[in-house]
Amino acid sequence: MPKMESMCYTNFEVMNVQDRGRITVSVPFIESENVSKDFNGQRVLQNVSFSIDEGEVVGLLGPNGSGKTTMIRLLNGVINPSSGKMRVGDYNPEKNADDIRSMSGILTDGAGLYQEMTGLENLVFFSKLYKAYDLKRIKLLLEEFGLAEAQYKNVGKYSTGMKRRLGMIKAILHKPKLLFLDEPTNGLDPEGIQMVLKYIKALNQQEGTTVLLCSHILHQLEHVCSRYLFLQQGQIIESGTLKELEKKRVNIIELKVETGLPVSAGEFGFPAAAAGENVYRFTLPDRSDITPLIQRIAAKAPVYHVEIENRDLESLYFQIRGGKNE
Amino acid sequence: MNKQMVWAIAEKDIRGITKNSQVWIGMILLPVLFAVLVPIGFILVIKYMPSLSPEMEQMVNKIISGIGNEEMKQELMSLPSMTHQMIFVVVNYLLGSIFLMIPCLNAMMIALNSFVGEKERGTLETLLFSPVTLKELFVGKILSAFIPAMGISLLSFLLFGTITTILTYPMFDEFIFPNSNWLVMIFWLIPIITIFTILVNILVSARAKGFQEAQQIGGIVVLPIIGLFIGQATGLLIISPVMLFAIGAVLLIANAGILKLITKYNDRNMLFTKQI
Ligand SMILES: Nc1ncnc2c1ncn2[C@@H]1O[C@H](COP(=O)(O)OP(=O)(O)O)[C@@H](O)[C@H]1O
Ligand SMILES: [Mg+2]
């Protein structure tokens, strides 16, 4: 696990979420306006518009091939849009992309490291490209990401998780204001996913780093992202915070209740089904129905666990995608 | 232009050469062949088995008759024997032209790999996503080919000089190497031709998708050198300091042209799209 304390390297002013909430008139940090991109006549992105505030962690979610990576490339100015306008900080990716790339860090899907060089050699090289060569910091980060021992080994011998962690270090070497993460958890085991996501969250909270995170794997993302953009076939089909999406999209509540004794679930007045030993799934029209239901169940049997099942990111995602297809 | 970035790229690539057998084997093989084995072979054959080389004698006569500079011609004619004349001509004309293979082939192999190597490893994307400007990237790549290729050329020159001097000094009682041809070559033509080869091959490398494809196109640069060698052997195109200087001057102008071409046609978008 990375040690989070050592990340307070600068006396950067940490803005917390509440503070930001009070600022009513603010210019977004990143803006995309009706951006479209064609490859050989094929439309890959279609009128993509969104904005991201400074200090946000935004998840750009969508299935493979939906255009997430293309969006990151456009924002970094390594490819140009077919139409539309973009802005990152004070810069236009079509004109001053070098400035954008200087202030941002990126973790690409393939990590893009030199296999025949050691982990340390890779980091020293990239730190020079980012004008941020600092051996002490490199060593510290290697330590934090659990790669201290592997630093003298060739990256070709690293596991996927180790490569991803090295890629993360590469992305943050120069303390970027903005972080682009393309599939940061792809190919990682649950422990690896947790480690990477925890680090992203800590970085955001302590340094105020703005993060755009692309992923088709939603596992655990709700703990990290403050807002989501759903991309499908090159179009943004939905966006918002988890709460907003829930309000908009969830009109029934699927409540899972675990009790200490068998009960006859039908007698509480809501559609219900058994979902395991002494576990029942109730379908409620509204969240205000939860309390009375639990009270009634509790009168008959001890209640051990109550959970709304269809409010997590994954069920929302499938609902949004399903809704679009209908 | 940020020097640290340029050197970081150059240094990484120069170190990388030792890990690319296709490139470093060539870097050792070429000097051994053209600066050691070929001169030793020629000189020994001429010296000890003159009967084996009637064609050589014919060729040498052609070369001598083709030399434009009268002074040089007189000097050659005044050498004590046909063997002396043959050795002098072989060292300073025939081997001089073929020596250009060393800088050219080395520069070609390294430069061809410059972008293709990054593409094949999937690292060009990372470089293009970094704040490195294209100018810094290209200058870094050019340096990473120029330094080793030029270094090997200088070493080969010293090696060639030492070997021929050891073999010829006792015979001639004077230094026949380096004559003016060699001096113009090493200090004027070779640096320019090395840069020329690098620029052409970097241009090819940036556009090609794989090493094979790049090699087929980039290899064309070697043809003029073979032409120059044949020119010596047939007496049709005898090298002289003036001519070597002129070739260098033409290539120097060509270099400027290619540099313009590189800056004009290689934008990030193109490089990025060509890698996939
Ligand atoms: N350089 C390219 N040339 C042609 N098609 C491309 C190129 N890059 C991406 N695409 C296409 O664009 C679509 C979106 O790709 P991508 O942005 O990589 O999706 P994602 O990252 O969401 O998986 C895919 O259908 C892909 O094949
Ligand atoms: Mg992708």
Side-chain angles (χ1 to χ4, degrees), chain A residues 246-267:
Chain A
E246 216 178 288
K247 228 184 224 165
K248 223 192 274 186
R249 292 283 179 164
V250 182
N251 34 31
I252 50 154
I253 290 174
E254 279 174 27
L255 192 73
K256 196 167 87 174
V257 182
E258 188 185 346
T259 61
L261 290 166
V263 293
S264 64
E267 71 182 73

Side-chain angles (χ1 to χ4, degrees), chain A residues 1-4 141-147 161-162 164-166 168-169 184-185 188-202 220 224:
Chain A
M1 282 296 123
K3 284 181 238 91
M4 305 299 170
L141 286 166
L142 280 164
E143 198 72 48
E144 278 182 15
F145 278 84
L147 290 173
M162 288 160 82
R164 196 61 48 85
R165 275 181 277 157
L166 195 70
M168 272 300 288
I169 302 179
T185 58
L188 296 187
D189 54 16
E191 242 173 84
I193 293 180
Q194 196 168 19
M195 177 174 178
V196 166
L197 292 183
K198 225 172 158 175
Y199 196 86
I200 296 167
K201 190 170 185 166
Q220 300 220 332
V224 181

Side-chain angles (χ1 to χ4, degrees), chain A residues 79-80 101 112 114 116 129, chain B residues 5 118 121 126 130 268-269:
Chain A
I79 55 174
N80 287 332
R101 286 188 291 266
Y114 291 92
E116 75 287 355
L129 288 197
Chain B
M5 285 186 182
E118 302 277 1
R121 283 177 293 183
T126 328
S130 79
R268 233 180 179 86
N269 266 272

Side-chain angles (χ1 to χ4, degrees), chain A residues 64 68-69 109 182-183:
Chain A
N64 274 327
K68 306 182 293 292
T69 301
D109 202 1
D182 198 357
E183 310 281 0

Side-chain angles (χ1 to χ4, degrees), chain B residues 2-270:
Chain B
N2 182 298
K3 276 188 195 145
Q4 199 191 23
M5 285 186 182
V6 170
W7 279 112
I9 292 167
E11 192 193 328
K12 167 191 78 71
D13 280 0
I14 292 172
R15 278 168 194 259
I17 288 170
T18 55
K19 288 162 187 163
N20 184 333
S21 56
Q22 216 172 352
V23 172
W24 71 255
I25 288 177
M27 291 184 74
I28 295 174
L29 221 58
L30 287 167
V32 167
L33 189 64
F34 293 118
V36 179
L37 296 182
V38 170
I40 290 180
F42 265 107
I43 293 171
L44 290 185
V45 164
I46 295 168
K47 203 167 169 183
Y48 296 109
M49 290 173 278
S51 59
L52 267 182
S53 46
E55 285 93 0
M56 185 88 77
E57 193 176 322
Q58 237 180 345
M59 190 176 77
V60 169
N61 282 327
K62 272 187 197 158
I63 295 180
I64 294 175
S65 63
I67 292 173
N69 186 331
E70 276 307 311
E71 236 171 277
M72 181 57 80
K73 217 178 218 169
Q74 290 308 313
E75 192 193 330
L76 254 170
M77 301 299 253
S78 67
L79 286 172
S81 74
M82 189 62 208
T83 307
H84 283 83
Q85 288 182 9
M86 279 164 73
I87 288 178
F88 188 94
V89 165
V90 163
V91 166
N92 284 319
Y93 292 87
L94 204 59
L95 295 184
S97 60
I98 201 73
F99 185 87
L100 288 174
M101 290 295 256
I102 298 175
C104 275
L105 285 176
N106 276 329
M108 180 188 102
M109 291 301 276
I110 303 170
L112 271 185
N113 218 25
S114 61
F115 281 97
V116 168
E118 302 277 1
K119 289 179 202 180
E120 287 181 342
R121 283 177 293 183
T123 43
L124 185 58
E125 182 180 20
T126 328
L127 290 183
L128 294 177
F129 268 124
S130 79
V132 166
T133 62
L134 281 195
K135 192 170 168 194
E136 288 157 347
L137 184 58
F138 273 95
V139 173
K141 291 290 183 188
I142 291 169
L143 280 177
S144 74
F146 184 77
I147 294 168
M150 199 58 212
I152 293 284
S153 297
L154 285 174
L155 272 178
S156 304
F157 176 75
L158 292 178
L159 209 59
F160 186 100
T162 312
I163 285 168
T164 50
T165 302
I166 290 172
L167 290 177
T168 59
Y169 191 81
M171 249 181 106
F172 286 77
D173 278 325
E174 61 176 345
F175 293 102
I176 62 162
F177 176 93
N179 78 340
S180 45
N181 275 345
W182 275 101
L183 292 177
V184 176
M185 234 169 38
I186 199 75
F187 292 113
W188 171 253
L189 184 59
I190 286 183
I192 293 174
I193 215 171
T194 302
I195 292 177
F196 175 76
T197 313
I198 290 169
L199 290 178
V200 169
N201 283 287
I202 276 186
L203 197 64
V204 171
S205 188
R207 301 229 147 196
K209 288 200 170 147
F211 195 74
Q212 299 269 310
E213 184 191 332
Q215 213 168 8
Q216 281 161 11
I217 309 169
I220 294 170
V221 175
V222 180
L223 291 181
I225 297 167
I226 296 171
L228 205 60
F229 179 73
I230 294 172
Q232 310 307 297
T234 55
L236 285 175
L237 190 75
I238 303 302
I239 53 174
S240 67
V242 176
M243 178 187 160
L244 293 175
F245 187 84
I247 296 177
V250 170
L251 288 178
L252 195 64
I253 295 165
N255 284 349
I258 302 171
L259 261 178
K260 267 232 168 89
L261 211 68
I262 288 180
T263 45
K264 197 168 166 193
Y265 289 109
N266 284 293
D267 66 355
R268 233 180 179 86
N269 266 272
M270 192 287 291

